[in-house]
Amino acid sequence: MNDFDFEVYAPNFHSFTFKVHTGIDKNLQTISCDRKWILDTYNPIVEQLGDFPRDTIKLREETPKNTPFSLLDYRKNARLFDSDNGNLESNKPRRKLLVYPQQFDDSYSLSLDLFIPETPETDKINREKIKQFNPNNCFQIDTELGQTFLITAFLEENNSQNYEKIANYCLHELLSISLEEIETKLYRQGEIFDSNILEYGYPKEDEFHAVVVFFTDKSNSEKLEEVYWELPSLFLYHHKIINAYADSRLDYHKLDNQVAKIENLVSSIKKQDNTKNSQLSELELDNYKDTLKELLNLSLDYSQTLRNLQYYQNTIAINSHNYQIKLNKIQTISNNDLDFFARLIDKEWITLQEQIKADLSYFNQGNIILNRGIETIRGLIEIDQAKSDRLR
């Protein structure tokens, strides 16, 4: 398979990167991120690309009332730059770079589209040159909220049967991820605008997200271009959903461990409760008090973690609704049902909510056991105190 080679035409490499700029994290700490994050992310990428002008974008200072809005200090939403064709030593084809930064209610979005314009005989690249689109992995940004990679290109008819294999190799070369790992990340495939589309990254298991679309007709690519400006918000909601679910799994395991501790402590109460009518010894009383302290400490942490789980369920519900609204808008613009993306709502987003709902039902039972354990120990201590008072 290593000798597998292919050619794609007029490739576009899109990167949609997201960052929370205001809010509260899961540890109840305030989040505050300056708009400078856009420049700090964008400038190193341009520097690595090497054939685009640097320090060319300025950010607006004012904040419009309605979001989302472009962060560029221009009347245009985005800026388009041409590569420096005078650098003949670079051996790079003529490329363009579209820059589209936005601010949402609580997040930033930096959308970049690096592409070779459609031109006869000069827009063709082979597998080896795909790496030039992401030198030193400069497009891969470490951000908690997430990043979506979108590759679009034209394939000749004789290559259309190998589109899955070609898609895997494109991501392998572009992102420097092993071919085996890319193949395991392939989540599903289908059609969009009469073109093949493949999506990578399982929503329940992986925060990685990449999409590859192969066109065979120019009119199909134009349909995607019509809705391009709506894609950042659609992918933003996607990442908010899968991030909330990933965080819920961390709290799920935390609660599961806490339930085990609660059951052990409650079991220890039953073993200690052999006094019946006799008075507790000083050692037994101290053991009960220590157990009560542990349960009270667990109770606070358990309640907070349970609340987090409810928060993640609500977050998924809200962003699933936002995803649906945005998809409806894209469907209207493109006059297409976009069933490939619509299926996510019914197949995944609802399933994630139902999973957390089931978790909450289970762990609420643990809360009942915890409270009963606390009440039992308090009762035993109060009874022992009453016995002591009678003796005195």
Side-chain angles (χ1 to χ4, degrees), residues 31 60 67 97 102 182 189 191 213 244 250 272 288 315 321-322 340 354 391:
I31 298 173
R60 70 195 306 168
T67 60
L97 177 65
Q102 289 178 282
I182 288 295
Q189 51 186 294
E191 286 192 0
V213 181
L250 296 177
Q272 292 179 58
Y288 274 129
T315 299
H321 178 67
N322 293 338
F340 184 82
E354 290 298 323
L391 290 172

Side-chain angles (χ1 to χ4, degrees), residues 88-125:
L88 299 179
E89 295 180 0
S90 67
N91 193 29
K92 296 176 182 176
R94 177 171 174 258
R95 300 182 294 176
K96 292 192 175 187
L97 177 65
L98 179 71
V99 184
Y100 183 37
Q102 289 178 282
Q103 180 168 320
F104 294 82
D105 290 331
D106 63 351
S107 308
Y108 296 129
S109 166
L110 176 58
S111 305
L112 302 173
D113 177 14
L114 180 61
F115 64 98
I116 297 178
E118 294 179 44
T119 50
E121 304 299 328
T122 62
D123 62 357
K124 175 178 65 175
I125 68 167

Side-chain angles (χ1 to χ4, degrees), residues 121-136:
E121 304 299 328
T122 62
D123 62 357
K124 175 178 65 175
I125 68 167
N126 60 17
R127 172 186 155 189
E128 291 182 358
K129 292 186 177 180
I130 291 176
K131 289 182 179 179
Q132 294 180 355
F133 278 72
N134 187 25
N136 297 316

